[in-house]
Amino acid sequence: MPKIAVIGAGNVGASAALYLAEAELGDITLVDIVEGVAKGKALDLLEAGPVRGYDTMIEGTGDLRAIAGSDLVLVTAGLPRKPGMSRLDLLKANADIIRGVAQAIREHASKAFVIMITNPLDVMTYLTYRVTGFPRERVVGMAGVLDSTRFRSFLAAEIGVSIEDIQAMVLGGHGDTMVPLVRYSTVGGIPIEKFIVKERLEQIVQRTRDGGAEIVKLLQTGSAFYAPAASAVQMAESILKDKKRLLPVAAHLNGEYGFRDLFLGVPAILGSRGLEKIVELELTSEESAALKKSADEVRKGIADLELEPATR
Ligand code: APR
């Protein structure tokens, strides 16, 4: 059984642990700075096993050293976005937490694949890449799968077809500047533009961009967690089972799409070697401009980290 660590046993972390357990993807170690929360939720999840039929081992701890020997680490530690708070407001607070977590991963789980979930996503993934010193194949961020699944669910409801037949691709940073690619989104292989008039499609694209904020506004006390957790687990499954899914992934770009040394959502193949291939799409000038705007936003966040210049 692979060993999976989930750091942060809050809403996203606990939901991810549940999905991981139900899929029997590996034994799970749930870690939280609040030890009782990690222990209590792990025990509760373990006790659901006989009813739900999973044989997964799940343990909880407050000690980051317990991630030793993990094959995969999901990072959800941090503060969620509160109403009125932008993802960038979160940056300073979460950077302090992620620095410590990434150091622990470097020290105790030096062979692991890392999937980052904490926001601001692209910036926290970059920070983890820098602090761990891991190759880019082993550090990816979860954003595009979530943005795409939101887009897919809105499209399915609008058209009145099964979500199973909707494919969608969303590029760029995880935030207001994300770039949903209408041209590459289909229903049973047929472009969605055949089903929805332009103006309505634009409204759905905007709702996708605001998808996180819509839920923050409703919940009042936190941010989305079921869809984020499910999205991260889909990425984990592709790596652990070597499925080679082609998914939108926050990946370290080294010239792809014309960007260097930043993380941005792009289509990529995830398999047993982690980030196995970035797929470069041809973009219209409008799409390229939107992606550049998104990259500029991520770069600003990276600059706010005040790191030493990169040496690789
Ligand atoms: N080490 C381990 N756990 C930590 C640490 C730390 N240094 N700092 C905070 N935590 C824990 C908290 O104790 C809490 O249980 O992280 C957990 C975060 O859980 P929630 O507050 O419920 O937040 P959640 O909704 O799960 O979101 C976590 O994912 O989607 C993103 O924007 C979201 O950045 C946020 C993250």
Side-chain angles (χ1 to χ4, degrees):
M1 266 290 211
K3 180 172 171 179
I4 307 168
V6 179
I7 305 182
N11 280 334
V12 177
S15 306
L18 174 60
Y19 294 134
L20 288 167
E22 297 232 315
E24 293 187 323
L25 289 178
D27 290 332
I28 302 164
T29 305
L30 203 48
V31 190
D32 201 285
I33 199 161
V34 186
E35 187 179 39
V37 166
K39 285 195 150 125
K41 289 190 183 178
L43 188 58
D44 197 12
L45 283 165
L46 188 78
E47 290 165 358
V51 181
R52 299 296 303 166
Y54 53 77
D55 266 317
T56 313
M57 267 310 303
I58 308 164
E59 61 166 13
T61 174
D63 186 352
L64 270 169
R65 286 174 299 185
I67 68 171
S70 293
D71 299 290
L72 182 91
V73 181
L74 254 57
V75 182
T76 78
L79 308 177
R81 196 153 52 122
K82 300 269 162 53
M85 201 179 183
S86 80
R87 283 197 179 81
L88 289 181
D89 290 338
L90 274 181
L91 187 138
K92 296 268 176 199
N94 281 351
D96 286 342
I97 294 171
I98 295 306
R99 255 194 204 94
V101 167
Q103 276 159 6
I105 294 172
R106 183 182 63 191
E107 202 170 320
H108 304 297
S110 62
K111 301 258 164 31
F113 293 98
V114 183
I115 300 177
M116 175 56 60
I117 306 171
T118 303
N119 278 312
L121 190 275
D122 308 271
V123 180
M124 293 303 123
T125 317
Y126 181 83
L127 179 60
T128 302
Y129 167 77
R130 287 288 302 272
V131 173
T132 56
F134 287 2
R136 75 167 184 172
E137 286 74 18
R138 287 204 279 126
V139 183
V140 291
M142 188 292 297
V145 177
L146 171 62
D147 298 329
S148 303
T149 192
R150 285 183 173 143
F151 194 29
R152 287 168 67 193
S153 50
F154 300 150
L155 289 170
E158 177 71 17
I159 301 169
V161 293
S162 165
I163 46 95
E164 286 183 49
D165 292 325
I166 307 248
Q167 291 281 333
M169 184 52 72
V170 177
L171 302 188
H174 186 48
D176 314 335
T177 59
M178 73 177 77
V179 187
L181 287 185
V182 168
R183 276 190 318 130
Y184 288 105
S185 302
T186 60
V187 187
I190 304 162
I192 49 173
E193 287 138 309
K194 291 253 180 280
F195 297 85
I196 306 176
V197 296
K198 196 162 177 277
E199 296 71 39
R200 182 70 188 127
L201 199 48
E202 274 163 16
Q203 287 170 355
I204 295 172
V205 164
Q206 193 53 42
R207 188 174 177 201
T208 303
R209 282 208 188 92
D210 298 336
E214 183 177 1
I215 291 181
V216 168
K217 203 163 155 223
L218 289 166
L219 292 180
Q220 293 291 314
T221 54
S223 50
F225 49 99
Y226 295 119
S231 303
V233 170
Q234 183 173 68
M235 293 170 69
E237 181 180 38
S238 193
I239 293 171
L240 292 169
K241 290 192 171 172
D242 193 24
K243 283 178 80 92
K244 304 206 191 294
R245 301 282 314 256
L246 196 164
L247 301 168
V249 170
H252 185 262
L253 301 185
N254 212 351
E256 294 89 355
Y257 289 92
F259 301 109
R260 216 168 268 286
D261 199 34
L262 87 165
F263 276 75
L264 205 59
V266 291
I269 295 174
L270 293 183
S272 60
R273 287 179 287 117
L275 179 83
E276 298 197 348
K277 187 178 167 46
I278 291 174
V279 176
E280 286 199 73
L281 299 173
E282 279 185 22
L283 301 179
T284 64
S285 54
E286 209 175 299
E287 289 160 355
S288 291
L291 195 61
K292 163 125 196 346
K293 195 167 155 225
S294 193
D296 289 345
E297 195 73 18
V298 174
R299 253 193 225 299
K300 257 190 256 157
I302 289 175
D304 287 338
L305 291 172
E306 297 175 348
L307 297 170
E308 300 289 316
T311 53
R312 61 169 172 152

